[in-house]
């Protein structure tokens, strides 16, 4: 059982469409991170959200942290082929040392 | 390029064997993390070292061990390998180990156990 559930697991869309992927947990996190991983490479951090209800924008990507700090969403506007990749959310629990738990990821394919 | 290097990039071996994966963190980073990524389990945290000392343990099997050397590079040793150990192994590094800090991931080592 995954501590962090991501949905959908797979998503294939046409260039120009909008999409939202979700990251849900029954646990509370001190912060939540989103990563993108491309084939043959390690994950790269996109954003960290810390405050419940926080919204952060990174160009066409909008990240939201749930009010209760248990869930998060990533919305992509006008998806482009360059957005193709595996999107991972990671919950961070602090207290002595940083402990990061990753979701299984959403594999996004944007078709030109 | 994250600045984290991992060798080898690919490793093919047989069941029962032992392998060593190597990681060099970004210059100045004191923490090294090891992760295992498989299709069905996703990215699983194995172990963290901070400035040469073990800081946190995750889902690491007893057959696996790691260490961080004085020059801060780290090695992950996998022994008595089983088919199910086939996966991508990532190393990540960060500046600190006790606070929330960005982890920078290496390109990974793909291990195939036949």
């Amino acid at each position: 059982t995954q501590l962090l559930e991501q949905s959908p697991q797979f998503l294939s869309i046409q260039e120009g469409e909008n999409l939202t992927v979700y990251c849900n947990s029954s646990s509370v996190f001190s912060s939540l991170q989103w990563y993108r991983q491309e084939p043959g490479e390690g994950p790269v951090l996109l954003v960290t959200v810390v405050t419940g209800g926080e919204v952060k924008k990174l160009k066409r990507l909008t990240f939201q942290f749930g009010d209760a700090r248990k869930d998060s969403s990533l919305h992509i506007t006008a998806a482009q082929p360059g957005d193709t990749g595996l999107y991972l959310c990671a919950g961070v629990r602090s207290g002595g040392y940083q402990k990061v738990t990753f979701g299984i990821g959403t594999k996004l394919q944007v078709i030109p | 390029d994250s600045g984290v290097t991992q060798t080898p990039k690919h490793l093919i071996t047989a069941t029962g064997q032992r392998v060593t994966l190597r990681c060099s963190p970004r210059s100045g980073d004191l923490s090294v993390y090891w992760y295992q990524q498989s299709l069905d389990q996703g990215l699983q945290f194995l172990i963290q070292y901070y400035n040469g000392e073990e800081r946190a343990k995750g889902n690491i099997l007893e057959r696996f061990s790691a260490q961080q050397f004085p020059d801060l590079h780290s090695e992950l040793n996998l022994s008595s390998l089983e088919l199910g150990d086939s996966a991508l192994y990532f190393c990540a590094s960060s500046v600190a180990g006790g606070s929330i800090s960005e982890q920078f991931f290496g390109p990974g080592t793909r291990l195939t156990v036949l």
Side-chain angles (χ1 to χ4, degrees), chain A residues 2 37 42 45 94 98 104, chain B residues 37 40-41 99-101 103:
Chain A
Q2 288 289 332
Q37 184 179 10
L45 181 67
S94 294
Q98 174 181 287
I104 202 164
Chain B
Q37 187 177 40
D40 58 342
Q41 291 289 322
S99 59
I100 299 172
S101 57
Q103 292 185 31

Side-chain angles (χ1 to χ4, degrees), chain A residues 3-88:
Chain A
L3 184 60
L4 276 169
E5 299 285 342
Q6 289 192 245
S7 61
Q9 286 196 27
F10 302 95
L11 190 55
S12 182
I13 61 170
Q14 292 292 133
E15 181 177 359
E17 291 184 0
N18 302 331
L19 67 117
T20 302
V21 298
Y22 300 93
C23 175
N24 296 295
S25 175
S26 57
S27 299
V28 176
F29 295 103
S30 56
S31 65
L32 198 135
Q33 299 175 330
W34 284 92
Y35 290 79
R36 182 169 69 208
Q37 184 179 10
E38 298 186 23
E41 298 180 12
V44 176
L45 181 67
L46 296 174
V47 78
T48 301
V49 284
V50 179
T51 307
E54 181 177 2
V55 176
K56 275 193 175 177
K57 290 194 175 184
L58 188 65
K59 296 183 180 177
R60 294 176 293 100
L61 278 60
T62 302
F63 305 85
Q64 184 162 9
F65 201 11
D67 291 339
R69 305 206 313 273
K70 292 182 180 180
D71 54 85
S72 181
S73 64
L74 158 60
H75 182 80
I76 301 179
T77 304
Q80 298 178 1
D83 296 327
T84 294
L86 179 69
Y87 288 82
L88 297 162

